[in-house]
Every structure is written in C-alpha cells, then in structure tokens.
Amino acid sequence: MRGVDERIEDVRRLLAAARGVYERRQELVPSLVRTTGLSPEGVLLGFDSLERDASDAALRSLVESAGDATHVHVILSANVFVGALRALALARAAAARVTIRPSSRDPVLTQALVAAARDPALSITSERDPGVVGADRIDVYGGAAAIEQVRACAARGVTIRAHGPGLGVAFVTRAADPAEASRLLARDVVVFDQRGCLSPRLVTVEGDAARAESFAASLHASLAEWAERVPRGTLGDDERADARRWQESLAFAGRVWSGPEHVVGLGDRLLVPPTGRHVQVLPASDAPSASTLLAPIAAAIVTVGSDDSQQVRHLAPPHARIAALGQMQRPPLDGPVDRRSA
C-alpha cells in the first residue's frame, strides 16, 4: 500500500500539470467558451480558481479524506470546468489506477490535465457503463438523476462516492460595510455564472430591512460593474425560463433590482434563485434568525461566506465550508469541495 508521502507526491505531479495548463490557458479559451457557455472573460476568471499549489497540511488532509482503493473510476460533470483537478487529485490520492470519463459536454480541461500530467496511472475512457469498468470505487459528480443511474448499474461491491448538487450562501454581519461586502460577494457570484456548488445564491444580512435593502442596492451596482469586465455567458432556454419565474415570484413578494446580466431580489420569504447571476437578499435580526431562514435548504448548503469567520459558524451547517467573502470559489485543496460526501 502506498504511504502518505507517496500519495502527496502523486497529487503534487497533478498540481504541476495544472500549472502548465494554466500557463497556456489562452489556447484553451475558445474551446472552453464552446463547451462551458461562459464568455471568454468568464473562462479566464474561472481559471483563477484552478488549484495550482497546496500546502503540505492541506495535501495531508486531502489524502486522509481520499480513502483507499485499487482502481477509482471518475465520472465528471460539466458544471465547473476547473473541478476536474480536485476530482483527479482525490482519486489519485486513493488509488494507483484512475480512469476518467469526462463530461461529453465539457471534456477540455480534463483532457488537458491528463495529457500534461503524463502519469501512467491516469487514463481517459469513453466507457459509459461503470459496471464493466473494473473499478472497485466510482467517484461520480453530477445531478441526482445521474448519480442514481450510476448506482443502479454499478457492479456489486463497488463503492460509490457521490458528489451531488449544492449551493453557497452568505451571511453579512452588522459590523460589515454593505458596499464593501457587496463588492467582495459580487466576485463570488460572477465566477462560473453561479453554476458551481460554491456559488452564492442567497445572502442573509444582519440587521433591519433598510440595511438589507442597502446591501441589495450595492450588490446590484457591483454586479453591473462586473458585467462590463466579465460578461455573462450563454443561458439555455430552461435557465431563462427558470429566471423569469423566479424574478416574477420575487417581484410579487419583495423588491427586485434588474440589470442586463443579473438580478438581485430582496424579500423575507426564501425563494432559491436559479443559476446565471441571480441573488436573493434576506434580512435577519441575528445569526440564529439567519439559520432559521436557511433551515429548509441546510442539506444543500456546501459553503457559507461571511465577513466574520467566527460568528458565521453559529448558522453554518456542520458539513459546510466557511469562507471569506470574495474567496468562496477558492477553497484550499484539502479534500472534497463538498464535505457532505466526505
């Protein structure tokens, strides 16, 4: 069995490959625009979240969370293109053989990473039936339907590690400056056009309705500024329909600020926004009140961003990551992004 240090070195080789891919990221932009639906500027911004280094402590934590297997088969989704690196790192830390089925809609970065790594333990397969791959573990990333399909056809005795859908939320404390907090949060919203499980879609603002309104107006202005530098990518017909329904519902129950490429809504009734730079702001008298507001979706929360890393722990679910505003899309490489599956 490989020791911890050997596994860390295997992951470090992947990080070296990621640095090489990052250096030639401009070459990959046209392909990634086609596969991800992001704008060229959005792709380049997304590359900032590609893990290219990690501390020894973070990598030891990753190895501890990776588990042990002989052969891990990785099935990737198309939600966040840089997510391939962490998925490969977790699988490589666990096993001496890793096969990867990239998303058919977005294989670009996976293929680039595997080619750059030149690691004989890593190989890409187009095999669509995980039951005949021969792996003793399958790491599957995607929606609930895709995960259930894998469970249904996996061979008896194969371990399934499922990484399903989720979202990010934020808590802005009474001590925060609304304009500064909104400026930081806007970056987290823009990266990947909210398609990832780290993307904030709900913000609870400590204080009264007037303070929440001030934050919402500032966030609206910040997102408008971002749109000039990083245009939103393409939304599908279903995404546009979801956005219209959400906006109409929120306009009936609260207030809406709408820009060409974003919508910010204010209301005291939880209405989870769709992806595509849509954010709901909710006033909360304190952290326990914010926790109560978010309770119906607690199981879906992957990360909580805040200006106060201590106070936010009173409302974050035990499994959720804690992040500073503006850094929600850059968690350390210390294990799965989604700790619900850890």
Side-chain angles (χ1 to χ4, degrees):
M1 181 179 293
R2 296 178 302 150
V4 171
D5 290 341
E6 183 180 356
R7 295 176 194 230
I8 287 176
E9 285 307 306
D10 290 333
V11 176
R12 286 207 178 278
R13 281 193 289 274
L14 265 173
L15 288 170
R19 290 193 291 273
V21 170
Y22 181 82
E23 288 301 315
R24 62 182 188 89
R25 61 194 180 281
Q26 289 283 0
E27 301 171 22
L28 300 176
V29 168
S31 295
L32 284 166
V33 167
R34 288 193 298 271
T35 58
T36 65
L38 297 171
S39 66
E41 297 85 352
V43 169
L44 289 172
L45 181 64
F47 262 113
D48 287 346
S49 294
L50 177 65
E51 298 91 343
R52 304 185 295 281
D53 203 358
S55 67
D56 285 341
L59 291 180
R60 285 186 180 277
S61 175
L62 180 138
V63 167
E64 289 172 3
S65 68
D68 291 300
T70 302
H71 171 191
V72 176
H73 183 56
V74 182
I75 302 175
L76 294 171
S77 72
N79 287 347
V80 172
F81 70 91
V82 302
L85 186 282
R86 190 178 298 249
L88 297 186
L90 283 162
R92 188 66 180 94
R97 183 187 177 199
V98 177
T99 51
I100 308 108
R101 193 186 87 193
S103 164
S104 59
R105 291 189 292 124
D106 183 17
V108 176
L109 192 70
T110 304
Q111 293 170 343
L113 286 170
V114 172
R118 297 180 181 178
D119 182 347
L122 301 175
S123 61
I124 290 177
T125 176
S126 60
E127 178 57 67
R128 302 198 64 82
D129 180 3
V132 299
V133 170
D136 54 326
R137 189 177 104 191
I138 299 172
D139 292 358
V140 54
Y141 298 78
I147 290 170
E148 287 309 308
Q149 183 178 14
V150 170
R151 291 190 190 280
C153 62
R156 185 185 298 274
V158 173
T159 299
I160 307 295
R161 277 201 174 190
H163 305 260
L167 77 162
V169 301
F171 176 62
V172 177
T173 70
R174 200 181 304 272
D177 174 60
E180 175 64 9
S182 66
R183 183 186 67 79
L184 292 169
L185 185 73
R187 185 189 192 282
D188 295 322
V189 172
V190 169
V191 181
F192 308 117
D193 288 346
Q194 282 183 315
R195 288 196 168 92
C197 63
L198 297 174
S199 299
R201 287 192 262 165
L202 295 156
V203 186
T204 52
V205 177
E206 188 178 29
D208 58 16
R211 192 162 189 279
E213 182 173 345
S214 173
F215 177 87
S218 294
L219 181 59
H220 167 58
S222 294
L223 288 171
E225 291 174 4
W226 266 102
E228 295 178 2
R229 304 193 302 274
V230 182
R232 186 174 64 185
T234 304
L235 297 185
D237 292 341
D238 289 346
E239 291 174 314
R240 291 185 181 279
D242 288 343
R244 281 194 300 271
R245 284 191 293 268
W246 174 77
Q247 186 172 348
E248 289 167 359
S249 297
L250 199 56
F252 180 78
R255 183 177 174 186
V256 169
W257 290 257
S258 181
E261 299 188 350
H262 74 271
V263 178
V264 177
L266 174 67
D268 54 11
R269 182 166 65 91
L270 183 67
L271 292 169
V272 178
T275 58
R277 304 190 189 181
H278 302 98
V279 184
Q280 184 183 3
V281 177
L282 302 101
S285 58
D286 51 25
S289 297
S291 180
T292 299
L293 282 169
L294 298 173
I297 61 161
I301 295 173
V302 173
T303 187
V304 183
S306 181
D307 58 283
D308 188 326
S309 62
Q310 296 304 313
Q311 190 173 347
V312 74
R313 296 182 189 278
H314 296 297
L315 69 91
H319 59 262
R321 286 182 173 272
I322 305 298
L325 298 178
Q327 297 295 318
M328 294 178 67
Q329 303 278 10
R330 297 175 175 178
L333 188 63
D334 57 0
V337 158
D338 184 355
R339 288 174 169 164
R340 296 173 299 174
S341 59

